[in-house]
Amino acid sequence: MSKQTERIQELIELRQKARLGGGEKAIDKQHAKGKFTARERISMLLDEGSFEEFDMFKLHKCHNFGMEKKQYLGDGVVTGSGTIGGRLVYVFAQDFTVNAGSLSETLAEKICKIMDMAMKVGAPVIGLNDSGGARIQEGINALAGYAEIFQRNILASGVIPQISGIFGPCAGGAVYSPALTDFTLMMENTSYMFLTGPAVVKSVTGENVDQESLGGASVHSTKSGVCHFTAATEEEAIAMIQQLLTYIPQNNQEEPPLVECTDPIDRLEDSLNAIIPDNPNQAYDMYEVVSAIVDNGEFFEVQPQFAQNIITGFARFNGRSVGVIANQPSKLAGVLDCNASRKGARFVRFCDAFNIPLVTLVDVPGFLPGTGQEYNAVILHGAKLLYAYGEATVPKVTVTLRKSYGGSHIVMSCKQLRGDINYAWPSAEIAVMGASGAAAVLYAKEAKTIKEEGGDAAAFIKEKEDEYTKLFANPYQAAKYGYIDDVIEPRNTRFRVIRALEQLATKTLTNPAKKHGNIPL
């Protein structure tokens, strides 16, 4: 055997060794938990045969606490590039079979390398997290490694899409990288995220709580809003990441993918002419409106379980990717509150960063009142949504279906926040407040006098309510001033939105030169 042949054989053997990660026993242990390995996850995620691995032979540098005896090729993370649907992506997957996927200085260097490469070429980064946290044996070097990753997350924000999949534990400082990325997906029952674990919580606060109740997928998808998607199986999770990527561009300099549309653009949806109830206090399901107007009824929802009084997600109009934001009258009457405001604002800002037009469907009676909301800074949270819409320079098409009152009218992409094309249905009610509230304020003195004189104050107020409704509970006052561009027949909504988006395809708008704004956080 020649030396060259020997060297090639050595390479093949080293590759085989590296691909085993922590070894067969550790792999079996991972499978026994119902979890795939890092390499298996990458294989499922990327197009077959497209993965190009980097740093397969890199080793950690720690010689404390006997760590020199725990050397594995690749050191706990698999990194590289590949394609999804033929489009380039960079990926890292923490390998729990190697030192529980704990983050070392070397592991951080590997992740940082592919993040730097992704920024150079303008491609998304997908991180699959499954790690025991910082490698304690490395001390400050592990913390420095996390900080290096976070700095890159920050600089990449708004430049390339960043997606995090949480496929196992993610605790302590490790949670900040997913929190800095655009979208986070968690596995139901097998993943968790928290800054301090149950044992520390118990010792500090005396509170008894398990991992799932403290930071499981159910908590972060419904209560905190930390995660955007949940999945029951890893196959489902991978499919969701792949689907998400079909709606977003490679980077902030590119347009989202345009797909062929088989759904007629002038399709009439007669059901929409009858969807608004005669009783203004009666609910209806906004999902029915969304599915009726988008291409083929396909809607990819973001944060479906969190702040359900507002709906956010991706859809297509004539093959063009858009972000949809809609109030949901069947949840809390569609009011805006702290959580709905920040959910909406976050989504609007992502779409604006990546050139995705915004279609807003409005039916909002106001902001949720009460001390709970005021103490939790609903003013600031509402201002986030206001800021996001006002800052956005992408095409913005707004359709007011029914209620649009007061401050909530303003923050839902009104004309004065540089809404490009604002439509309204004939059922729209655009005013400072509802008729009952307005009549009570405007005619309080007269009603008091009538009551003191023994008259029917209630009948008087009802009469004034009807007057106010006739005057203001319609779209024509707003249209009179040009704040509404046109009042449209509901069944024509799909066609009118598509035509508006086509018209705005070449829109150019820039904000004043500045380092950055000071969004009300």
Side-chain angles (χ1 to χ4, degrees):
M1 188 184 292
S2 68
K3 279 190 176 181
Q4 181 69 355
T5 305
E6 282 179 18
R7 286 169 180 161
I8 290 170
Q9 186 59 38
E10 181 188 20
L11 170 64
I12 291 168
E13 288 170 5
L14 283 172
R15 284 194 184 282
Q16 287 173 341
K17 187 178 178 183
R19 289 188 182 114
L20 279 176
E24 294 283 5
K25 195 178 285 186
I27 291 171
D28 291 342
K29 200 171 175 182
Q30 182 84 340
H31 287 162
K33 296 177 191 171
K35 294 163 69 177
F36 288 101
T37 65
R39 291 178 186 280
E40 288 167 342
R41 287 167 182 156
I42 289 175
S43 180
M44 286 192 288
L45 178 67
L46 301 179
D47 296 339
E48 189 175 350
S50 70
F51 184 48
E52 293 285 337
E53 186 170 349
F54 303 141
D55 292 332
M56 181 185 269
F57 308 116
K58 201 168 170 82
L59 297 170
H60 73 70
K61 313 175 191 86
C62 180
H63 297 282
N64 300 327
F65 307 101
M67 285 302 293
E68 68 276 4
K69 297 169 189 169
K70 294 182 180 179
Q71 290 277 17
Y72 297 91
L73 294 175
D75 190 38
V77 69
V78 182
T79 61
S81 68
T83 60
I84 296 176
R87 297 166 64 200
L88 177 67
V89 297
Y90 285 83
V91 62
F92 69 86
Q94 293 169 336
D95 187 352
F96 200 82
T97 70
V98 176
N99 296 315
S102 57
L103 188 123
S104 65
E105 181 185 8
T106 292
L107 195 149
E109 287 170 352
K110 288 183 65 173
I111 293 173
C112 289
K113 180 187 279 190
I114 64 137
M115 294 179 80
D116 290 341
M117 293 183 77
M119 283 288 279
K120 279 181 195 173
V121 303
V125 170
I126 302 165
L128 307 180
N129 297 264
D130 189 1
S131 166
R135 194 169 296 174
I136 298 168
Q137 296 92 333
E138 294 203 14
I140 190 64
N141 287 338
L143 296 182
Y146 271 130
E148 292 282 358
I149 294 169
F150 302 159
Q151 181 63 52
R152 284 163 174 78
N153 287 135
I154 293 163
L155 295 179
S157 182
V159 179
I160 53 173
Q162 300 179 82
I163 301 169
S164 298
I166 314 300
F167 286 82
C170 185
V175 299
Y176 283 121
S177 181
L180 290 166
T181 62
D182 298 305
F183 297 102
T184 299
L185 179 147
M186 292 185 74
M187 295 301 307
E188 295 162 15
N189 304 314
T190 58
S191 71
Y192 55 81
M193 295 175 74
F194 41 65
L195 282 168
T196 50
V200 177
V201 170
K202 170 72 173 170
S203 67
V204 174
T205 70
E207 187 180 3
N208 280 308
V209 63
D210 60 23
Q211 288 181 340
E212 180 63 28
S213 301
L214 182 63
S218 59
V219 169
H220 289 313
S221 63
T222 62
K223 289 180 168 49
S224 72
V226 166
C227 100
H228 301 82
F229 311 102
T230 65
T233 66
E234 295 197 13
E235 292 92 338
E236 182 190 357
I238 295 294
M240 289 176 85
I241 293 171
Q242 292 168 333
Q243 189 178 359
L244 171 61
L245 282 168
T246 66
Y247 290 99
I248 59 183
Q250 290 290 93
N251 55 64
N252 66 343
Q253 298 298 311
E254 293 187 11
E255 297 297 316
L258 188 66
V259 303
E260 187 181 351
C261 178
T262 56
D263 193 354
I265 63 170
D266 56 354
R267 170 172 54 79
L268 296 176
E269 197 63 46
D270 290 327
S271 63
L272 296 183
N273 278 9
I275 199 167
I276 302 293
D278 289 336
N279 180 352
N281 297 319
Q282 190 176 330
Y284 61 94
D285 191 353
M286 186 63 82
Y287 287 112
E288 292 182 23
V289 179
V290 174
S291 62
I293 63 176
V294 301
D295 289 358
N296 305 306
E298 293 172 4
F299 181 57
F300 186 70
E301 190 170 4
V302 175
Q303 292 186 296
Q305 298 164 289
F306 178 66
Q308 292 181 321
N309 38 324
I310 199 166
I311 297 167
T312 57
F314 297 104
R316 290 187 179 88
F317 283 92
N318 196 25
R320 196 182 297 277
S321 180
V322 302
V324 176
I325 304 95
N327 307 113
Q328 173 57 297
S330 68
K331 298 288 182 182
L332 290 175
V335 297
L336 288 170
D337 58 5
C338 294
N339 286 343
S341 297
R342 63 188 181 95
K343 171 183 171 180
R346 168 82 176 177
F347 184 73
V348 166
R349 296 193 93 208
F350 173 83
C351 291
D352 185 51
F354 289 102
N355 312 313
I356 300 171
L358 295 164
V359 173
T360 306
L361 305 176
V362 181
D363 187 346
V364 60
F367 281 89
L368 185 63
T371 56
Q373 289 295 306
E374 298 295 352
Y375 294 173
N376 280 296
V378 69
I379 294 169
L380 288 181
H381 292 302
K384 288 173 188 170
L385 186 56
L386 172 68
Y387 192 108
Y389 269 122
E391 181 188 43
T393 59
V394 292
K396 291 182 281 192
V397 180
T398 305
V399 185
T400 301
L401 282 59
R402 187 169 62 172
K403 297 173 184 175
S404 186
Y405 292 154
S408 62
H409 159 76
I410 298 169
V411 306
M412 288 300 294
S413 197
C414 70
K415 181 60 83 177
Q416 291 71 29
L417 293 184
R418 304 191 297 187
D420 293 300
I421 297 180
N422 292 59
Y423 294 132
W425 286 5
S427 49
E429 304 170 16
I430 303 168
V432 174
M433 62 175 67
S436 59
V441 171
L442 293 170
Y443 300 102
K445 282 184 181 177
E446 291 91 331
K448 186 180 178 184
T449 303
I450 291 168
K451 192 174 182 181
E452 287 170 353
E453 292 173 354
D456 191 345
F460 170 75
I461 288 292
K462 178 69 175 70
E463 181 188 329
K464 294 303 178 184
E465 271 183 41
D466 293 342
E467 274 182 32
Y468 189 90
T469 299
K470 194 172 180 181
L471 271 173
F472 296 105
N474 62 67
Y476 302 108
Q477 281 289 320
K480 183 170 79 175
Y481 294 105
Y483 304 150
I484 293 295
D485 296 302
D486 198 8
V487 180
I488 64 173
E489 194 176 341
R491 68 178 190 154
N492 289 331
T493 303
R494 170 175 166 78
F495 177 66
R496 298 302 295 271
V497 168
I498 287 173
R499 195 150 67 174
L501 291 169
E502 294 297 324
Q503 181 189 147
L504 295 166
T506 54
K507 174 187 174 182
T508 55
L509 177 67
T510 54
N511 289 324
K514 54 185 167 181
K515 189 174 181 182
H516 57 72
N518 190 12
I519 186 168
L521 296 173

